[in-house]
């Protein structure tokens, strides 16, 4: 069994809102200088899902793959410390400003190059752009079925069984392998690597592939969508703080204002 | 030449779901040619007449679509799109839309803008605005390919009212290539109003101190016919079920009134509630981030504020 987990490196999403800045001209987020990039939360949970399958069925190779800058090696190492076996870093100048379709094209090409992949796992969405499309695009490119929003993933007899998270229902979906599954946070917390595992991860092999290694040219990576603007929305509400010397007076003032605004 | 807007209608228990008329409204306002709907499922044709303000309703009614599967719905929607040849396709950012959107877009050789909150035609092309970075930023996207596919956040668009039902056009689709199978589906029974549908949400944060701190929050939610929400910290601590979590890793809600009790307003949480029309914040820290997006605020200890607030609302309701 060979599982590939696609992990994206993102600016730490849990920063105080006041530190969030955008360079509108460059259409890029400017991460605060002291904040280190981290694995996108749902992707770390996808690594956890892979490790649970490995624990359950044994004889499983887990490859942790990331597309991005050279620093994305850190998130691969983190996945390897969690128990992954090998890493693949996809880095190339041609990969610098890809849209989701381009990212999926590179990931799918890398999965094909690995050749013997049974299951591709990734987070349900990246916590920077929150799109939730990459897993599905990769599946379509590989010609594999996709199951999204997993809270439990098990493998047996050439099939993957996925419990899906839906707001108003529980659903169990079965798919033949190879398949792509996107993982939601309800699966549970990713395991925390022990120091010994972190040290062992440093010795595990990480291959680096570029566009040439994957046979991808500019046409294959051409964007289907364009980013025309990125900005921080102006919050035009100015909070109206309820006056009052006692909680009773504050509460009464609030109810009066809610009534005036026709909210009750 | 692609023309017009095609929207995905959704049905629940034989009735057209709320997001459908919102999509019709958004499609009409684009002013980009005729608006048509597609209705996919098993035994759904009867619901077609409930969709109003559209020219045509394309129906794929097939037993193989009784349960949602990505492959089945993608094949059906693609068959409709090929026949209707629209310039724009809109889906709700719902269970179905968020799964189907990317698969359909790929099948049609184009791309999808997910969870959009504003749509505009410029020079005959769709431009979408969507929250990114957990709602901290807005991204405006354009399309290099056609048709432009977008999922639209529920309650972000005014619903179309009136107008006549569309002419039903039956479409056949080849559904033989579906490889996934729904083994089991159980509808979750929840008491009271669904969090995503609630017009009023009362949420509590870690600042309430423990599970028992949710008693006044539950009381207020019940009183206002609303639902209870929780911050991630609260769900992580097990004080409330994960199903009540509002935020980046939980649910996205856009109620008319969102009452945040002892919630500081971390990015993670705001991603789930910043679409609310009115936010009321009750927090003892006057500098809490939540006050930056709130319309009304009370600076004070929730323990002291909630009882008189509940009483005052009861009184206001009695007065009518």
């Amino acid at each position: 069994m060979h599982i590939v987990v696609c992990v994206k490196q993102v600016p730490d999403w849990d920063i105080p809102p006041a530190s969030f800045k955008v360079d509108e001209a460059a259409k890029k987020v400017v991460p605060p200088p002291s904040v280190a990039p981290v694995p996108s939360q749902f992707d770390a949970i996808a690594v956890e899902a892979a490790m649970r399958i490995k624990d359950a069925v044994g004889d499983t190779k887990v490859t942790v793959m990331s597309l991005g800058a050279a620093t994305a090696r850190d998130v691969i190492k983190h996945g390897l410390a969690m128990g992954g076996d090998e890493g693949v870093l996809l880095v190339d100048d041609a990969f610098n400003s890809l849209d989701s379709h381009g990212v999926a094209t590179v990931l799918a090409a890398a999965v094909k190059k690995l050749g013997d992949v049974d299951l591709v796992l990734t987070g349900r969405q990246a916590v920077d752009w929150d799109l939730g499309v990459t897993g599905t695009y990769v599946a379509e490119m590989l010609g594999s079925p996709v199951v999204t929003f997993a809270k439990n993933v098990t493998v047996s007899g050439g099939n993957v069984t996925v419990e899906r998270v839906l707001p108003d229902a529980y659903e169990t979906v079965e798919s033949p392998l190879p398949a792509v599954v996107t993982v939601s946070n309800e699966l549970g917390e990713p395991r925390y690597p022990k120091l010994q595992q972190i040290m062992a991860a440093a010795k595990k092999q990480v291959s680096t592939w570029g566009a040439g290694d994957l046979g991808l040219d500019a046409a294959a990576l051409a964007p289907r969508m364009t980013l025309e603007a990125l900005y921080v929305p102006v919050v035009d509400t100015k909070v109206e703080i309820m006056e009052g010397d006692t909680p009773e007076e504050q509460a009464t003032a609030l109810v009066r204002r809610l009534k005036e605004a026709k909210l009750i | 030449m692609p023309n017009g807007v095609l929207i995905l209608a959704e049905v629940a228990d034989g009735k057209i779901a709320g997001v459908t008329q919102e999509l019709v409204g958004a499609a009409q306002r684009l002013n980009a040619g005729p608006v048509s709907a597609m209705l996919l499922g098993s035994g759904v044709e009867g619901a077609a007449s409930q969709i109003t303000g559209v020219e045509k309703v394309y129906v794929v009614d097939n037993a193989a679509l009784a349960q949602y599967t990505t492959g089945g719905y993608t094949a059906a929607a693609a068959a409709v799109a090929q026949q209707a040849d629209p310039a724009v396709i809109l889906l709700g950012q719902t269970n179905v839309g968020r799964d189907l959107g990317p698969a359909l877009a790929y099948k049609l050789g184009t791309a999808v803008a997910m969870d959009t909150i504003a749509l505009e035609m410029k020079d005959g092309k769709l431009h979408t605005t969507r929250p990114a970075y957990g709602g901290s930023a807005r991204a405006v996207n354009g399309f290099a390919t056609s048709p432009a596919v977008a999922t639209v956040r529920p309650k972000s668009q005014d619903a179309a009212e009136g107008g006549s039902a569309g002419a039903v056009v039956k479409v056949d689709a080849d559904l033989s290539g579906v490889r996934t199978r729904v083994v089991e589906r159980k509808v979750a029974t929840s008491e009271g109003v669904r969090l995503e549908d609630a017009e009023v949400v009362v949420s509590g944060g870690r600042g309430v101190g423990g599970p028992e701190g949710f008693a006044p929050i539950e009381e207020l939610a019940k009183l206002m016919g609303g639902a209870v929400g929780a911050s991630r910290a609260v769900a992580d601590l097990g004080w409330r079920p994960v199903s009540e979590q509002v935020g980046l890793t939980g649910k996205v809600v856009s109620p008319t009134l969102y009452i945040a009790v002892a919630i500081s307003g971390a990015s993670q949480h705001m991603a789930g509630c910043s679409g609310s029309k009115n936010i009321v914040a009750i927090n003892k820290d006057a500098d809490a981030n939540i006050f930056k997006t709130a319309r009304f605020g009370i600076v004070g200890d929730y323990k002291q504020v909630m009882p008189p607030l509940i009483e005052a609302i009861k009184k206001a309701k009695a007065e009518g």
Side-chain angles (χ1 to χ4, degrees):
Chain A
M1 177 91 186
H2 186 183
I3 303 175
V4 172
V5 190
C6 303
V7 182
K8 183 176 183 178
Q9 188 182 45
V10 297
D12 192 344
W13 48 275
D14 218 2
I15 57 168
S19 323
F20 185 84
K21 297 217 162 38
V22 164
D23 179 343
E24 292 191 10
K27 295 184 277 197
K28 281 194 172 131
V29 167
V30 186
S34 57
V35 177
V38 294
S40 178
Q41 189 194 10
F42 298 110
D43 297 343
I45 298 168
V47 178
E48 173 64 28
M51 298 323 302
R52 289 185 193 175
I53 294 169
K54 185 173 179 170
D55 292 346
V57 303
D59 191 26
T60 296
K61 181 165 100 174
V62 175
T63 300
V64 181
M65 182 182 279
S66 187
L67 183 157
T71 56
R73 188 176 290 272
D74 293 347
V75 303
I76 293 173
K77 288 287 179 192
H78 185 83
L80 296 179
M82 283 175 70
D85 299 288
E86 282 177 19
V88 175
L89 175 64
L90 303 166
V91 59
D92 195 304
D93 285 345
F95 300 164
N96 284 348
S97 50
L98 298 176
D99 69 349
S100 304
H101 180 266
V103 168
T105 302
V106 178
L107 295 173
V111 171
K112 280 181 193 157
K113 187 175 163 79
L114 287 168
D116 57 348
V117 176
D118 302 292
L119 180 64
V120 177
L121 296 174
T122 191
R124 72 174 207 198
Q125 69 197 58
V127 295
D128 49 0
W129 291 105
D130 303 330
L131 286 166
V133 301
T134 305
T136 303
Y137 285 168
V138 168
E140 296 290 340
M141 288 167 186
L142 294 172
S144 297
V146 60
V147 185
T148 54
F149 312 110
K151 71 164 184 173
N152 193 26
V153 189
T154 50
V155 168
S156 77
N159 285 317
V160 59
T161 304
V162 180
E163 288 173 39
R164 296 187 73 210
V165 180
L166 302 172
D168 53 0
Y170 304 96
E171 193 175 87
T172 307
V173 175
E174 199 178 81
S175 167
L177 294 172
V180 177
V181 175
T182 79
V183 171
S184 191
N185 50 297
E186 286 84 351
L187 189 121
E189 288 291 306
R191 61 193 64 191
Y192 203 77
K194 299 188 185 79
L195 181 62
Q196 207 180 337
Q197 291 176 300
I198 295 170
M199 287 164 67
K203 296 191 196 99
K204 291 179 182 172
Q205 191 199 332
V206 178
S207 313
T208 303
W209 296 341
D213 301 307
L214 300 171
L216 296 169
D217 58 15
L221 301 174
R224 293 183 169 191
M225 288 189 74
T226 52
L227 178 63
E228 292 171 6
L230 185 69
Y231 60 93
V232 175
V234 180
V235 180
D236 50 10
T237 49
K238 179 129 176 57
V239 66
E240 189 184 321
I241 298 290
M242 298 302 127
E243 303 290 338
D245 294 331
T246 63
E248 285 75 16
E249 285 177 24
Q250 291 174 314
T252 309
L254 175 60
V255 172
R256 191 180 64 242
R257 292 295 289 123
L258 290 176
K259 243 182 143 171
E260 282 163 8
K262 299 198 173 11
L263 293 170
I264 42 174
Chain B
M1 182 69 189
N3 185 32
V5 185
L6 178 66
I7 66 120
L8 175 76
E10 289 196 37
V11 211
D13 303 324
K15 292 209 175 73
I16 293 296
V19 72
T20 305
Q21 289 301 123
E22 294 171 18
L23 295 174
V24 173
Q28 288 172 344
R29 286 186 291 275
L30 284 178
N31 214 1
V35 175
S36 294
M38 58 178 153
L39 186 54
L40 319 174
S42 177
V44 292
E45 194 184 332
S49 61
Q50 296 169 33
I51 310 165
T52 60
V54 295
E55 188 163 286
K56 287 177 191 158
V57 181
Y58 295 91
V59 179
V60 185
D61 202 326
N62 190 313
L65 299 174
Q67 301 271 26
Y68 176 84
T69 58
T70 315
Y73 272 62
T74 304
V80 171
Q82 272 144 19
Q83 183 166 333
D85 197 19
V88 174
I89 300 176
L90 302 181
L91 305 85
Q93 175 77 6
T94 58
N95 280 348
V96 170
R98 63 184 188 169
D99 187 85
L100 177 59
L104 175 63
Y106 186 81
K107 186 75 94 192
L108 298 175
T110 183
V112 61
M114 299 296 286
D115 199 16
T116 62
I117 54 170
L119 304 151
E120 188 190 5
M121 294 299 283
K122 264 193 290 191
D123 304 325
K125 289 204 159 185
L126 183 70
H127 297 257
T128 60
T129 303
R130 58 182 307 278
Y133 289 87
S136 299
R138 295 282 180 274
V140 181
N141 291 106
F143 290 80
T145 47
S146 176
V149 183
T151 68
V152 179
R153 182 179 286 198
K155 295 195 190 175
S156 70
Q157 307 291 318
D158 291 330
E161 288 173 30
S164 49
V168 171
V169 181
K170 289 196 175 193
V171 178
D172 283 327
D174 177 9
L175 305 174
S176 59
V178 179
R179 286 168 290 174
T180 62
R181 191 169 68 89
V182 178
V183 181
E184 192 185 13
R185 189 181 166 88
K186 275 189 297 204
V187 175
T189 46
S190 61
E191 286 176 36
V193 192
R194 246 168 52 109
L195 188 54
E196 298 92 324
D197 297 336
E199 287 299 322
V200 178
V201 174
V202 189
S203 277
R206 183 158 41 187
V208 303
E212 62 287 351
F214 273 82
I217 290 170
E218 281 182 339
E219 190 181 351
L220 182 59
K222 203 171 168 198
L223 185 60
M224 303 192 76
V228 173
S231 71
R232 188 177 67 136
V234 164
D236 283 353
L237 289 163
W239 296 354
R240 300 297 296 186
V242 174
S243 59
E244 289 180 2
Q245 187 187 325
V246 171
L248 183 64
T249 53
K251 287 177 179 157
V252 176
V253 298
S254 334
T256 308
L257 183 59
Y258 188 86
I259 304 178
V261 181
I263 283 178
S264 63
S267 312
Q268 149 74 227
H269 187 76
M270 297 317 292
C273 71
S274 57
S276 308
K277 316 285 182 294
N278 300 278
I279 295 177
V280 171
I282 299 168
N283 202 298
K284 59 184 176 189
D285 175 9
D287 295 325
N289 187 59
I290 188 80
F291 287 116
K292 292 201 176 79
T293 36
R295 179 171 176 197
F296 301 118
I298 288 182
V299 179
D301 184 348
Y302 89 98
K303 278 186 197 149
Q304 265 129 48
V305 173
M306 291 297 275
L309 179 61
I310 288 167
E311 284 315 308
I313 288 177
K314 274 187 188 159
K315 209 171 133 212
K317 291 227 165 211
E319 287 164 5

